[in-house]
Every structure is written in C-alpha cells, then in structure tokens.
Amino acid sequence: MTPDDSAAQSPDECREFGFETKQLHAGHGLDREVRARAVPIYQSTSFQYEDFAHAQALGSLEELGFSYSRTGNPTCAVLERRIAALEGGTAALAVGSGSAATAFAVLNLTHAGDEIVAASTLYGGSFTLFQHTLPKYGVHTRLVDPADLGAYAAAITERTKAVFVETIGNPDINVVDLRAIAELAHANGLPLIVDNTFATPYLCRPIEHGANVVVHSATKFIGGHGTSIGGLIVDGGNFDWTSGRFPDFTTPDRTNGGMIHAQRWADQPEVGNFAFVMKARLHYQRDIGAALSPFNAFLFLQGLETLSLRMERQTANAQAVAEFLAGHPQVAWVAYPGLPSSPYHELARTYLPKGAGAILGFGVRGGQAQAQRLIDALQVFSFLANVGDSKSLVAHPATVTHGPLDEDERQLAGVLPEQIRLSVGTESLDDLLWDLEQALAASVS
Ligand SMILES: *Cc1c(COP(=O)(O)O)cnc(C)c1O
C-alpha cells in the first residue's frame, strides 16, 4: 500500500513550493541506490518481501509498502503524490481511466439503496454510469440543474451519500459555484466530489473551495499529449466520515483485519487524513482492479511537468478563438466562460482567475448539416473523441461524447445538434484562426 512516503517529499519539506515547482518535483525523492533523476518505470507486477516478517507487516497494513502492482506501484505512487500535492489533497489513487476514478469514488460511498445528487451537465460517460449502470446495482442519481442551488437542496434525501459536479461542465462549458455547493453539501452532512478534468489543478483547486474528493481523467490535460488513458482520485482529507452516514468507514472491515478506516487513516503524520483513497484502494482497486500501468503513470508524470505552461498557452489560444468565433457571421452562439457575454463569466472570474480553460463550444447558423461540413473542412483541428491534447481537437458532442444518450437525455445534458466542441491546443494562434475561417467559409452551402 502506498499512500504517501513523506520522507520522499522533495526538495524541502518546510517550504511551501509554488505550483510550477511542485509539478516537476513533488512526490519524487532521491533514490539513493541508483540516483535516477527521472522517475523510473517500475514495470514489475510484484515486489519481493525481505523476509516473512516483512510479508506479514505489509499484509496486515502495519507497514505501508509495495507488494503487488494492482494495489500499489512505485511509479504510480509518484504520480499519486504529485497530483495530491498539486490539488492540495492528502493522498491520491491512480486508476486505469477517468471513468474508473468516477465509478470508484461513488462506489466508495454507496450501497444498494443509496443515492447521489449530480449536476446534469456531465461528461457523457459519467451520465451513462449514473443513469444506467449504477442503478442496476441499486445506486441512483438525482440529476439537477447545475446552476440552481435550490435544486441540489431539494434533491438531497436521507439516502444521499454525495454531491457530484464538474468544475467546468461538459458539454455546456458551464462553471459551477463550487463554494456554495460545498457549503450546501456539508450542511447536509455530505461530501462534495468534483471532476476537475477540464480545469486541471493549475486553473482551479476545488479542495481550496470546499470539495472533499477530486477526480480526474488524466487522459486529458494531465497527460496532455493524447497517448494514454488513466484516472486519479484525490482525497481532500477534509471530511469527517464518522457521522454514522458512512458505515463502511466506521465499522470493522472484515476484509482488512477488522480495521476501522476512519480511524486507521486519520491523522497520518505530515499528511493528515486519507481514509477515502485508502478505502478505495483497499476495496475497489483490490476487488475490481482498474490498475494504471506504470508506463502510463510515467507518461502522465511527463505531462504534469509542463501542465502550467500548456494550460497558459491553451487558455490564451482558446480565449482568442472564442473572441474570433463570437464575431463571425456564420456563428450563432459561443459557449466560453472567458467571454463577458457568458452567463458563467462571473463564476469563471472567481474560480478560474488564470483563464477559463481550453475548451469551448459553439453553434453554427446552419444546424447539424453545416456543423458536419465545417468539421470535415478543418485541417489543423483533428476530429476525434478526446480533449486536452496539445494538438487542437474538434468534436461533435451529439454524435461523439453524448452519442449513447437518447434524445431526451441529450436535452437534459445540454447537447444540441449544431454544437461543435473545440479543445484548443498550443499551435500558432494564426494557424488556428486561419483553419476556422477557411472551414467556416467552406461550410456555407
Ligand atoms: C474523459 C472524461 C472522463 C472519463 O475519462 P476516461 O479517462 O476517458 O475514462 C471523465 N470526466 C471528464 C470530464 C472527461 O472529460
């Protein structure tokens, strides 16, 4: 088990380093045997016990260390410590995809018969998880208008175990009022889980605004180069699991020697409480096993090293692209919280002061037919189902990310037929504007 090896916090534990320093250094100490500067890829399924007593100590969790890479791997552990440092959490769990991160975060709190409350503007895969897959196991989600605080309050029942939102919603590019939603959740004894994929910890750190758990699709901006699928769960360490509402945290865990998670992982030296990710690791990573490969963890660490630089550049490019599109006669509307005309502009100023992110949506006047012609005419933007690459990407949410939903569900999620979503990359801005201009011209039939 590998929550945190505080001794490996580098370079100096006493100083609070800046984000750009942490993205290069946090969670990686000097390996005195080999002295490798880069984080090595520990491509090993298992780690040899020193002796029988060592095996017993690891097995009983008296000592934390590596046994088998499904539940802990040294390369993945550096990624876990680094993202925890960047998000301001206590510890993290690396998993095989963002979808696994979301599923494990919800499963970690719920039993059959329980509910969660979630904003309706969700990533398509989270929408189908909450609306179709989890209900088969008795876990139900009440979807609410992300901007209506009263709707969250009205949807909370005795069975509710968490509130779930995305910092920047998908596909509407809406910004939620994190602090108000966190206060509302806490007033009802509930943790707030935030999918921070679109913002990244460089633009927004939800834990600073009251979130208790942060999930990521590392596939997107954290990797940043479109090479690897992965996910992360970050523990805020700031929620009291002992209210009685979360019995898995407060009753003896038969599958882990009778340990009580809320006690065992509280007040860890130099770190604090990481009961949430330890329980997720000890139950869901152990039993369902969406393990991240060490090689992918290495690629995510490479990505994190330049996260701030890419986000600055991509956000600046996206702002310019949004302004260009807003002034174009073929464009009916632009959804980008960095535009003063956006209903989310004020929230973006509060929660995304460094820029409103790299993703924007727009609608063309000629409906889906024109959207199709435009997408086919683009030359620099790649048409595919991803966001967050350094390369500029284009998607048609109604066909791609939200294709599996039915018509009513697409409406609830805010997906429109004429809607085009851009994930703006780091290319020369002039080339991006040229590409959009020529494709818009070609799209007019
Ligand atoms: C892509 C994405 C996910 C799912 O992540 P995968 O790594 O594709 O499984 C979850 N949430 C958001 C906001 C995403 O963009």
Side-chain angles (χ1 to χ4, degrees):
M1 301 303 117
T2 61
D4 203 299
D5 173 7
S6 301
Q9 295 288 347
S10 69
D12 180 328
E13 282 160 48
C14 301
R15 184 177 160 84
E16 177 61 27
F17 286 100
F19 189 94
E20 289 80 355
T21 306
K22 286 185 197 163
Q23 72 186 1
L24 288 155
H25 295 277
H28 185 217
L30 178 66
D31 160 7
R32 304 235 168 248
E33 206 174 319
V34 179
R35 300 186 308 282
R37 189 63 199 86
V39 178
I41 303 169
Y42 288 97
Q43 194 73 27
S44 185
T45 55
S46 22
F47 300 88
Q48 214 171 320
Y49 303 117
E50 279 164 34
D51 54 24
F52 212 88
H54 185 219
Q56 282 175 322
L58 290 181
S60 64
L61 297 164
E62 262 163 58
E63 192 181 315
L64 298 177
F66 303 104
S67 294
Y68 188 63
S69 282
R70 172 157 25 84
T71 47
N73 171 279
T75 309
C76 297
V78 177
L79 175 65
E80 289 164 350
R81 289 194 292 264
R82 191 159 299 172
I83 192 68
L86 294 175
E87 285 285 3
T90 53
L93 174 64
V95 293
S97 68
S99 301
T102 302
F104 282 10
V106 172
L107 290 172
N108 207 28
L109 296 173
T110 51
H111 288 197
D114 289 340
E115 299 173 354
I116 66 165
V117 170
S120 62
T121 47
L122 290 170
Y123 171 69
S126 302
F127 195 100
T128 50
L129 171 72
F130 293 168
Q131 289 300 87
H132 297 283
T133 299
L134 289 180
K136 291 180 193 162
Y137 304 94
V139 175
H140 292 272
T141 298
R142 292 174 188 248
L143 294 177
V144 297
D145 175 346
D148 181 355
L149 290 175
Y152 293 86
I156 293 171
T157 72
E158 266 171 30
R159 306 308 308 250
T160 310
K161 294 300 164 91
V163 176
F164 185 101
V165 299
E166 295 177 357
T167 317
I168 303 177
N170 199 341
D172 206 21
I173 330 297
N174 56 303
V175 182
V176 298
D177 191 345
L178 285 176
R179 208 165 295 160
I181 298 167
E183 277 168 18
L184 196 141
H186 299 161
N188 287 279
L190 299 172
L192 174 64
I193 306 174
V194 178
D195 181 335
N196 198 33
T197 299
F198 276 25
T200 83
Y202 180 66
L203 297 180
C204 179
R205 285 181 293 281
I207 293 166
E208 291 176 0
H209 303 295
N212 307 103
V213 176
V214 170
V215 295
H216 276 287
S217 170
T219 312
K220 314 294 168 50
F221 294 99
I222 288 176
H225 298 81
T227 62
S228 320
I229 304 280
L232 295 158
I233 305 173
V234 183
D235 194 333
N238 55 356
F239 192 82
D240 178 10
W241 303 108
T242 64
S243 65
R245 202 168 183 140
F246 304 96
D248 284 354
F249 286 84
T250 51
T251 52
D253 177 357
R254 281 181 59 195
T255 70
N256 283 293
M259 151 211 311
I260 293 177
H261 287 274
Q263 289 171 5
R264 175 65 179 83
W265 312 115
D267 306 321
Q268 294 293 301
E270 318 212 358
V271 185
N273 183 329
F274 51 75
F276 187 85
V277 295
M278 269 315 257
K279 195 178 93 59
R281 188 188 298 277
L282 292 170
H283 289 167
Y284 298 98
Q285 193 69 312
R286 178 194 64 192
D287 295 346
I288 299 180
L292 182 69
S293 85
F295 184 68
N296 281 9
F298 171 82
L299 290 172
F300 292 137
L301 285 162
Q302 294 295 292
L304 277 179
E305 292 200 355
T306 55
L307 180 66
S308 68
L309 301 169
R310 286 182 287 107
M311 292 313 288
E312 274 170 15
R313 167 78 177 189
Q314 290 182 248
T315 295
N317 274 357
Q319 179 74 34
V321 165
E323 286 166 11
F324 164 81
L325 290 171
H328 197 285
Q330 285 301 317
V331 174
W333 52 267
V334 179
Y336 185 66
L339 294 178
S341 58
S342 163
Y344 309 107
H345 190 60
E346 275 309 308
L347 286 168
R349 286 163 62 102
T350 304
Y351 294 110
L352 305 163
K354 291 194 181 121
I359 298 171
L360 60 97
F362 69 101
V364 280
R365 297 205 183 277
Q368 177 154 345
Q370 188 182 3
Q372 289 179 0
R373 289 193 296 272
L374 188 153
I375 288 171
D376 282 341
L378 285 166
Q379 297 179 35
V380 179
F381 284 81
S382 308
F383 179 38
L384 47 70
N386 193 21
V387 295
D389 199 320
S390 298
K391 302 174 189 76
S392 288
L393 314 175
V394 60
H396 185 243
T399 309
V400 180
T401 55
H402 291 69
L405 280 57
D406 66 29
E407 205 44 63
D408 290 349
E409 289 176 329
R410 272 200 285 274
Q411 215 161 18
L412 180 62
V415 182
L416 302 168
E418 77 275 20
Q419 185 172 37
I420 295 170
R421 189 187 65 193
L422 300 181
S423 173
V424 180
T426 59
E427 294 94 340
S428 311
L429 177 60
D430 283 353
D431 294 336
L432 299 179
L433 300 183
W434 164 82
D435 196 28
L436 288 164
E437 177 75 66
Q438 64 81 21
L440 278 159
S443 72
V444 185
S445 56

